[in-house]
Amino acid sequence: EFQEVSSHWLTLPQFHFINLVVITALSSLVRIPVDWLRVQAEKKELQTRNVETELQSLKNQINPHFLFNTLNNLYALTLKKSDMAPQVVLRLSDMMRYMLYECNESQVSIGQEMRYINNYLELERLRYASPSQISIEIDDDLLDHQIAPLLLIPFVENSFKHGMQTSLSESFVRIKAVNDHGKLLFEVVNSKPPSSPGQASPRPQGGVGLSNVKRRLALLYPDHYHLEISDAPDRFTTRLR
């Protein structure tokens, strides 16, 4: 009798309806996480493409003013038959090699990034009467650690764009990269030209370079970095941890 009741239950339309509902619900429960994973994968791929696009943009936007100034300085040195001319060519060549080839990797050593910055500083020093206006401090134990390429140079370029004034002896750029309790602390401080009475306040420093690096930081190091920007009357400071 029990078998007859069970067999009869299996033939009821209600059973088939409940069975269909259960199967539909289970398939939905499976499909939801699968769809979520697919969306997350597509989002991650899009973020990766955005990072690559940002990096390519940085590689393509080498400051034309810096390049023109360097070439003009090189031309002047060759006219003087200065022994510095070959060094200028080598430094500029080293910078271009880094941007075009070494930066194709997703990570570079901090030492490579600092070598690029040092070359940049040496070429900028040609423009100023007092090299002591430009200083850099680097912890040696940082050099072998890895970082995203061209992440630091926009801060340095920005400091020269706004901070160094050839007509002012008190202008300065100070750069520091230290190991702060196992974290990279990169700090750039530059002077600001004094504003004359009645002169409009200068526009905030930054521009495309800093906007670009902020986007890359958000994509590459989410919740693992702190960027502090301080705009005081006499100096501008960026501090990246």
Side-chain angles (χ1 to χ4, degrees), residues 6-69:
S6 300
S7 177
H8 175 68
W9 170 252
L10 291 175
T11 62
L12 291 176
Q14 293 91 332
F15 172 79
H16 293 289
F17 176 75
I18 293 172
N19 190 39
L20 180 61
V21 170
V22 171
I23 292 174
T24 303
L26 289 175
S27 65
S28 297
L29 289 175
V30 172
R31 187 174 66 252
I32 289 173
V34 170
D35 288 346
W36 183 85
L37 289 173
R38 178 178 54 80
V39 169
Q40 293 303 310
E42 291 174 353
K43 182 179 179 181
K44 184 67 176 178
E45 182 181 0
L46 180 60
Q47 288 180 337
T48 301
R49 289 180 180 177
N50 285 340
V51 171
E52 292 173 351
T53 301
E54 298 286 355
L55 176 57
Q56 191 61 44
S57 174
L58 274 178
K59 291 168 68 174
N60 292 338
Q61 70 173 29
I62 182 171
N63 191 325
H65 297 292
F66 167 76
L67 186 58
F68 290 146
N69 284 328

Side-chain angles (χ1 to χ4, degrees), residues 1 3 7 30 56 60 70 77 92-93 99 107 119 121 142 159 174 198 205 229 238:
E1 182 180 355
Q3 290 181 347
S7 177
V30 172
Q56 191 61 44
N60 292 338
T70 301
L77 291 173
L92 187 59
S93 174
M99 292 188 71
Q107 298 277 308
N119 283 332
L121 296 181
L142 281 173
S159 69
R174 299 168 187 159
Q205 293 186 214
I229 296 178
T238 56

Side-chain angles (χ1 to χ4, degrees), residues 155 157-164 188-193 202-208 210-211 214 229-238:
F155 299 113
E157 290 180 337
N158 187 69
S159 69
F160 278 92
K161 179 180 178 182
H162 298 281
M164 293 298 288
V188 181
V189 185
N190 63 263
S191 56
K192 290 173 60 178
R203 290 179 298 174
Q205 293 186 214
V208 176
L210 290 192
S211 298
K214 286 177 183 178
I229 296 178
S230 174
D231 193 355
D234 63 336
R235 65 188 58 201
F236 188 83
T237 304
T238 56

Side-chain angles (χ1 to χ4, degrees), residues 88-190:
V88 172
V89 174
L90 287 176
R91 290 187 182 279
L92 187 59
S93 174
D94 195 37
M95 292 177 66
M96 299 301 293
R97 183 185 306 110
Y98 178 67
M99 292 188 71
L100 296 176
Y101 300 110
E102 297 177 35
C103 288
N104 289 329
E105 303 295 330
S106 60
Q107 298 277 308
V108 297
S109 70
I110 294 179
Q112 289 173 286
E113 187 86 347
M114 289 302 166
R115 188 185 70 200
Y116 179 93
I117 290 175
N118 266 317
N119 283 332
Y120 180 91
L121 296 181
E122 288 302 319
L123 295 180
E124 285 285 22
R125 282 190 174 102
L126 294 174
R127 301 172 56 193
Y128 303 101
S130 174
S132 62
Q133 297 170 287
I134 304 168
S135 64
I136 183 168
E137 172 190 345
I138 304 172
D139 277 359
D140 290 339
D141 58 351
L142 281 173
L143 301 182
D144 292 331
H145 293 278
Q146 301 290 301
I147 194 173
L150 298 176
L151 197 64
L152 306 179
I153 187 62
F155 299 113
V156 178
E157 290 180 337
N158 187 69
S159 69
F160 278 92
K161 179 180 178 182
H162 298 281
M164 293 298 288
Q165 305 291 323
T166 54
S167 60
L168 298 176
S169 59
E170 63 269 22
S171 298
F172 64 85
V173 170
R174 299 168 187 159
I175 301 166
K176 180 170 65 174
V178 298
N179 187 337
D180 184 28
H181 304 289
K183 296 183 181 294
L184 167 65
L185 174 62
F186 186 71
E187 181 182 85
V188 181
V189 185
N190 63 263

